[in-house]
Amino acid sequence: MGLDWQELYAERFRFSQESPLGNVLRYGELPDMISLAGGYPAAELFPAEAFREAFDRVLATDAKVALQYSSAEGYLPLREYLVDRMSRFGIKSSPEELLITHGSQQGLDLVARLFVDPGSLVVVEDPCYVGGLQAFNSYEARYVAIPTDEEGMQVDRLEAALVDGQLHPRLIYALPNFQNPSGSTLSLSRRRQLLELSHRHRIPILEDDPYGELRYEGKKLPSLKSMDSEGNVIYLGTFSKILAPGIRVGWVVAPEQVIRRLLDGKQAADLHTSTLVQRATYEVCRQGLLDGHVAKMRPVYRRRRDAMLRALTEQFGSGARWSRPEGGLFLWLQLPHVVDSDAMLQDAVAEKVAYVPGSAFSPSGEKNSAIRLNFSSSTPEQIEEGVRRLTRVASRWQEKLAEGKGPALRVNLARAA
Amino acid sequence: MGLDWQELYAERFRFSQESPLGNVLRYGELPDMISLAGGYPAAELFPAEAFREAFDRVLATDAKVALQYSSAEGYLPLREYLVDRMSRFGIKSSPEELLITHGSQQGLDLVARLFVDPGSLVVVEDPCYVGGLQAFNSYEARYVAIPTDEEGMQVDRLEAALVDGQLHPRLIYALPNFQNPSGSTLSLSRRRQLLELSHRHRIPILEDDPYGELRYEGKKLPSLKSMDSEGNVIYLGTFSKILAPGIRVGWVVAPEQVIRRLLDGKQAADLHTSTLVQRATYEVCRQGLLDGHVAKMRPVYRRRRDAMLRALTEQFGSGARWSRPEGGLFLWLQLPHVVDSDAMLQDAVAEKVAYVPGSAFSPSGEKNSAIRLNFSSSTPEQIEEGVRRLTRVASRWQEKLAEGKGPALRVNLARAA
């Protein structure tokens, strides 16, 4: 007889569920499935040849260094390249203020590790990026969940929550551009207001910006980091959406003293990010491929977004509403409030279409009637067919519920913006 | 004026020092320095061409998948390969019991995350691998530090500590083969005794085995994992020492239910290990390169170890003692007890030789008179010259101390085995 492992686990694991995304993403591998679930970039756009040449060059000329251990902060030329690139977007930094991470998910983990004690309050958007919740849950955070609308986090509500000085959040987590999952973008006036709150209440902001360069219409808004006069903002960037996620390279920008402590966390977490991958990524970047590559991606993704919006308009009946993202990979579909989008998923999978139920993005984990739809990794034709299938399933559910036959959603929906 | 960041950090960071290794490893980059400090494998032995061909093949034939997101548990063919390879060493497992990590340091982090609450007790060897201490410190562990001798952890002492049932450690952390930093190997009888304690007191063992294949003499001993009849052992393996550390690929073997929770931690930590690197590593492995490669490394490292032992014997005076490792990368040099090896390091660096002071490996962080010497990353000539320089510095310190001039070490040295 073996150990009772369950009783040996740390508190942070005893009450947590298994990851909400794991199973959903696996549906994408089933035959004939149209998966609108993942957050995958379009694989056919990956600059495969550029990577092939880059790895070849690095391994032909510099293998002894590239295959060896290296320092936790990351490859200096890559950090210098990123400092320079970000300066074009108004973010001033130095290589000492930048740390290379194993994807931006690791940036979330390292920042949570540095700021979150068990029970610490973290301000999050509701709905919130699931990876952010997973990172904060690892350190037993509690949440101040602020609803979002088409202009992003409702900062007024945060202001109201902070006004009496009773709450002392350790961190404000914000994904201002084309938020995952809602697709909404924080307006300029709310950006100013959020920074003002950060300064007044002395709360750092963690700005997560994986999609900032993927804007398909409308005017580019400045990042919180670039607007911040007091150095309160920690910024997360990643190559996952502008180059390729399979390499796992992201970065954190923060004041140098914060980077030094994040470095201690990085060493404890995994010593450093792959020396070889960092060098090859730098090879890909230094030839100036990135701007042209992103310029090629935007119209493709825009067409896919448009196809999804069109299909929803043409096919979805009354009672459903959806966001109209100006960029990014996702939109947020709000079904009639009685539909439990977790329960409906099995039917959708039977109909060969997959999505992520809104509960995955709920800071409290409660079930709801929203779903996240991805439009970057399917063709316009697949999207149209996927939405058609989804419409069939949703209509069936609405009818069943109208006849009093189905399991109606019975949770508090006040938070649904 | 900016934030007072220091007061915002989580408890786990407020009292911890900056990483003890960062600066020491940087000495290796100074001109004419002979660094015996790092734990670096010999870069001239890296199978650079095999990696070059592997990355080229993967990117030429399978880039769309290799550059995309993938699942947290890792690439199935690589897991199957590792299951098969480990079975040759007596470790029975299945792909569902194996998780690919971003180096084995991440294995340490994920296991600590799963088992360690603030204040939890972890049994460690004293001296202990510094990366293990960093991982456990991240989760605010306290230590039951068990001294080591030439047969590894003094398991009798652990038995005595556990006998009255007052201590309830969450985990026993052991590095049984050619331990980092001591170079000692846990004897077969102590392996049996340690497993017996694990079974009787129901404490899981975390077996860290980066050097097991690097034995230069003596009889190979079975791993704790292979001897364990009750499934109490979690095993960490890595490609860092048998292939290359710059790729950052390691693995964890554990009961399937434990792997499932480690997977939740892995997703929160960094989603998954680089898809591309896993596939290329598998390409390198599946052609059967590994056995021949390790067979090539052993005699090279053995010569370097022999050179270091010979130089120490020829040059070091009385009062110093050192371990005689049968494998691995390190030996442990015990200077006369009044010498503070932290204080002596500056003199050594001025003399152009670097080492890691024993305090880095002390669970309590206390200064002591031991130093860790690496023999894998320098040629026999460099090792001979490095030991010569070290001897000069140490002699000078002994003389100064004998004359009452230097700062003698004033800490409790009872733990020095």
Side-chain angles (χ1 to χ4, degrees):
Chain A
M1 46 148 253
L3 292 172
D4 180 355
W5 290 98
Q6 193 69 34
E7 72 178 18
L8 289 163
Y9 296 153
E11 288 293 329
R12 64 182 72 86
F13 277 88
R14 286 200 208 174
F15 305 104
S16 74
Q17 298 295 311
E18 291 200 15
S19 165
L21 277 192
N23 286 330
V24 173
L25 296 184
R26 260 182 216 111
Y27 292 138
E29 297 159 16
L30 298 176
D32 304 324
M33 180 67 67
I34 293 179
S35 179
L36 308 174
Y40 291 13
E44 65 273 27
L45 299 181
F46 291 148
E49 270 310 303
F51 273 110
R52 193 177 166 196
E53 285 164 27
F55 276 95
D56 192 65
R57 194 167 320 120
V58 170
L59 285 166
T61 60
D62 214 9
K64 285 184 197 171
V65 177
L67 292 170
Q68 189 58 281
Y69 286 113
S70 55
S71 62
E73 58 266 33
Y75 184 44
L76 182 58
L78 182 61
R79 287 185 288 136
E80 288 170 339
Y81 169 83
L82 288 167
V83 164
D84 180 62
R85 183 170 176 82
M86 286 189 302
S87 74
R88 291 202 275 125
F89 305 133
I91 296 178
K92 290 192 187 69
S93 66
S94 72
E96 291 70 38
E97 294 168 317
L98 193 146
L99 160 64
I100 303 289
T101 57
H102 192 233
S104 71
Q105 183 67 34
Q106 187 178 54
L108 289 168
D109 180 66
L110 296 180
V111 170
R113 188 184 295 235
L114 181 54
F115 289 96
V116 179
D117 282 309
S120 292
L121 286 178
V122 176
V123 175
V124 295
E125 295 148 326
D126 186 356
C128 178
Y129 169 52
V130 58
L133 295 175
Q134 287 178 304
F136 299 130
N137 285 345
S138 265
Y139 301 94
E140 298 171 79
R142 290 178 304 139
Y143 297 111
V144 182
I146 307 296
T148 58
D149 59 24
E150 62 280 0
E151 290 184 44
M153 183 194 285
Q154 296 178 32
V155 183
D156 280 345
R157 298 215 194 183
L158 175 58
E159 183 156 22
L162 294 174
V163 74
D164 66 1
Q166 297 300 299
L167 297 182
H168 299 285
R170 288 285 182 84
L171 207 59
I172 298 167
Y173 173 56
L175 207 163
N177 294 319
F178 327 121
Q179 196 239 10
N180 180 353
S182 71
S184 69
T185 291
L186 193 65
S187 66
L188 186 61
S189 62
R190 286 191 184 171
R191 287 176 197 234
R192 290 203 185 100
Q193 193 185 0
L194 188 62
L195 278 167
E196 201 275 318
L197 281 180
S198 159
H199 296 159
R200 190 184 340 148
H201 293 280
R202 312 183 66 72
I203 310 168
I205 295 175
L206 176 59
E207 178 177 29
D208 191 1
D209 192 23
Y211 319 113
E213 295 200 44
L214 297 175
R215 176 178 278 281
Y216 317 130
E217 65 177 308
K219 193 165 156 256
K220 187 169 168 59
L221 294 175
S223 64
L224 294 165
K225 180 77 182 163
S226 70
M227 295 168 69
D228 176 23
S229 57
E230 309 219 342
N232 279 19
V233 178
I234 298 172
Y235 178 93
L236 299 183
T238 176
F239 284 111
S240 289
K241 303 308 188 293
I242 55 174
L243 210 48
I247 57 171
R248 311 306 302 129
V249 183
W251 61 94
V252 188
V253 188
E256 190 177 346
Q257 61 171 306
V258 178
I259 290 289
R260 280 203 302 268
R261 302 321 305 266
L262 290 171
L263 270 173
D264 295 336
K266 172 73 178 165
Q267 289 194 335
D270 64 359
L271 298 185
H272 63 82
T273 298
S274 166
T275 322
L276 173 61
V277 172
Q278 289 187 71
R279 285 177 176 247
T281 302
Y282 172 67
E283 280 297 313
V284 169
C285 288
R286 79 185 177 98
Q287 290 160 42
L289 170 138
L290 214 45
D291 286 339
H293 182 62
V294 174
K296 247 189 289 183
M297 295 166 74
R298 282 194 203 102
V300 176
Y301 287 180
R302 183 190 172 125
R303 279 195 295 276
R304 293 174 179 196
R305 180 205 61 166
D306 291 346
M308 185 169 274
L309 288 171
R310 198 168 48 239
L312 287 167
T313 303
E314 288 172 5
Q315 298 178 33
F316 247 89
S318 61
R321 288 169 300 136
W322 51 89
S323 60
R324 198 183 183 290
E326 297 188 325
L329 311 186
F330 306 105
L331 67 73
W332 187 242
L333 174 65
Q334 184 75 52
L335 296 167
H337 280 177
V338 286
V339 176
D340 174 344
S341 62
D342 281 273
M344 195 180 85
L345 181 60
Q346 288 309 321
D347 266 18
V349 169
E351 197 79 41
K352 305 272 186 214
V353 61
Y355 60 80
V356 182
S359 61
F361 310 98
S362 165
S364 64
E366 71 181 6
K367 295 186 188 308
N368 57 60
S369 54
I371 69 182
R372 188 191 75 175
L373 296 177
N374 166 271
F375 53 77
S376 60
S377 63
S378 306
T379 64
E381 295 70 33
Q382 290 168 325
I383 287 169
E384 196 182 343
E385 174 59 23
V387 171
R388 188 173 298 130
R389 294 176 188 177
L390 192 60
T391 310
R392 275 204 296 273
V393 177
S395 306
R396 223 156 46 220
W397 271 67
Q398 280 180 255
E399 282 165 28
K400 270 202 299 193
L401 290 169
E403 295 166 18
K405 283 179 183 161
L409 183 65
R410 286 181 207 286
V411 297
N412 173 17
L413 285 160
R415 60 172 208 79
Chain B
M1 49 149 253
L3 294 172
D4 180 355
W5 291 98
Q6 193 68 34
E7 72 177 20
L8 291 162
Y9 295 154
E11 288 294 329
R12 65 182 71 86
F13 276 90
R14 286 201 208 172
F15 305 104
S16 75
Q17 298 296 311
E18 292 199 13
S19 164
L21 278 191
N23 286 328
V24 173
L25 296 184
R26 260 182 215 111
Y27 293 138
E29 296 159 16
L30 298 175
D32 304 324
M33 180 68 67
I34 294 178
S35 179
L36 308 174
Y40 292 14
E44 63 274 26
L45 299 181
F46 291 148
E49 270 310 303
F51 273 109
R52 194 177 164 195
E53 285 164 26
F55 275 95
D56 192 65
R57 194 167 320 118
V58 170
L59 285 166
T61 60
D62 214 10
K64 284 183 199 171
V65 177
L67 293 170
Q68 189 57 283
Y69 286 112
S70 55
S71 63
E73 57 266 34
Y75 184 45
L76 182 59
L78 182 61
R79 288 186 288 135
E80 289 170 338
Y81 169 83
L82 288 168
V83 164
D84 180 62
R85 183 171 176 81
M86 286 188 302
S87 74
R88 291 202 275 124
F89 306 133
I91 296 178
K92 291 193 185 70
S93 65
S94 72
E96 292 68 40
E97 295 169 316
L98 193 145
L99 159 65
I100 302 290
T101 57
H102 192 233
S104 71
Q105 182 68 34
Q106 187 179 53
L108 290 167
D109 180 66
L110 296 179
V111 171
R113 187 184 297 234
L114 182 53
F115 289 96
V116 179
D117 282 310
S120 292
L121 286 177
V122 176
V123 175
V124 294
E125 295 148 327
D126 185 357
C128 178
Y129 169 52
V130 59
L133 296 175
Q134 287 178 304
F136 300 129
N137 285 344
S138 266
Y139 300 93
E140 298 170 78
R142 289 178 305 137
Y143 298 110
V144 181
I146 308 295
T148 59
D149 59 24
E150 60 281 0
E151 290 184 43
M153 184 195 283
Q154 296 178 33
V155 183
D156 281 344
R157 297 215 195 184
L158 174 58
E159 183 156 24
L162 295 174
V163 75
D164 66 1
Q166 297 301 298
L167 297 182
H168 300 285
R170 288 285 182 84
L171 207 59
I172 298 168
Y173 173 57
L175 207 163
N177 294 319
F178 328 120
Q179 196 239 11
N180 181 352
S182 70
S184 68
T185 292
L186 194 65
S187 65
L188 186 61
S189 62
R190 286 192 185 171
R191 286 176 197 233
R192 291 201 184 100
Q193 192 184 0
L194 188 62
L195 278 166
E196 201 275 319
L197 281 180
S198 159
H199 296 158
R200 189 182 342 145
H201 294 279
R202 311 184 66 70
I203 311 169
I205 295 175
L206 176 59
E207 178 177 31
D208 191 1
D209 191 23
Y211 320 113
E213 295 200 44
L214 297 176
R215 176 177 277 282
Y216 317 130
E217 66 178 308
K219 194 166 156 253
K220 188 170 168 59
L221 295 175
S223 65
L224 294 165
K225 180 79 183 160
S226 69
M227 296 167 69
D228 176 24
S229 56
E230 309 220 343
N232 279 19
V233 177
I234 299 172
Y235 178 92
L236 299 183
T238 176
F239 284 112
S240 290
K241 304 306 189 296
I242 55 175
L243 211 48
I247 57 172
R248 311 306 302 129
V249 184
W251 62 92
V252 188
V253 188
E256 190 176 347
Q257 60 170 308
V258 177
I259 290 289
R260 280 204 302 270
R261 302 320 306 265
L262 291 172
L263 271 173
D264 295 336
K266 172 73 178 166
Q267 289 194 335
D270 64 359
L271 299 184
H272 63 81
T273 298
S274 165
T275 322
L276 173 61
V277 172
Q278 289 187 71
R279 286 176 174 247
T281 301
Y282 172 66
E283 280 297 312
V284 169
C285 288
R286 78 186 178 97
Q287 291 162 40
L289 170 138
L290 214 45
D291 287 338
H293 182 62
V294 173
K296 246 190 289 183
M297 294 167 75
R298 282 193 203 102
V300 176
Y301 287 181
R302 182 190 173 125
R303 278 196 294 277
R304 293 175 179 195
R305 179 206 61 165
D306 290 347
M308 186 170 274
L309 289 170
R310 197 169 47 240
L312 287 167
T313 304
E314 288 173 4
Q315 298 177 35
F316 247 89
S318 63
R321 288 168 301 137
W322 50 90
S323 60
R324 197 182 183 293
E326 297 188 326
L329 311 186
F330 305 105
L331 69 72
W332 187 241
L333 174 66
Q334 185 74 53
L335 295 168
H337 279 178
V338 285
V339 177
D340 173 345
S341 63
D342 281 272
M344 196 180 83
L345 181 60
Q346 288 309 320
D347 266 18
V349 168
E351 197 78 41
K352 304 272 186 211
V353 61
Y355 60 81
V356 182
S359 61
F361 310 98
S362 166
S364 63
E366 71 182 4
K367 296 186 188 309
N368 57 59
S369 53
I371 69 183
R372 187 191 75 176
L373 296 177
N374 167 270
F375 52 78
S376 60
S377 63
S378 307
T379 64
E381 295 70 33
Q382 288 168 326
I383 288 169
E384 195 182 341
E385 174 60 22
V387 171
R388 189 172 299 129
R389 294 176 189 177
L390 193 60
T391 312
R392 274 204 296 273
V393 177
S395 306
R396 222 159 42 223
W397 271 67
Q398 281 180 255
E399 282 165 30
K400 268 203 300 193
L401 291 169
E403 294 166 18
K405 283 180 186 161
L409 183 66
R410 285 179 207 288
V411 298
N412 174 16
L413 286 160
R415 63 175 204 79

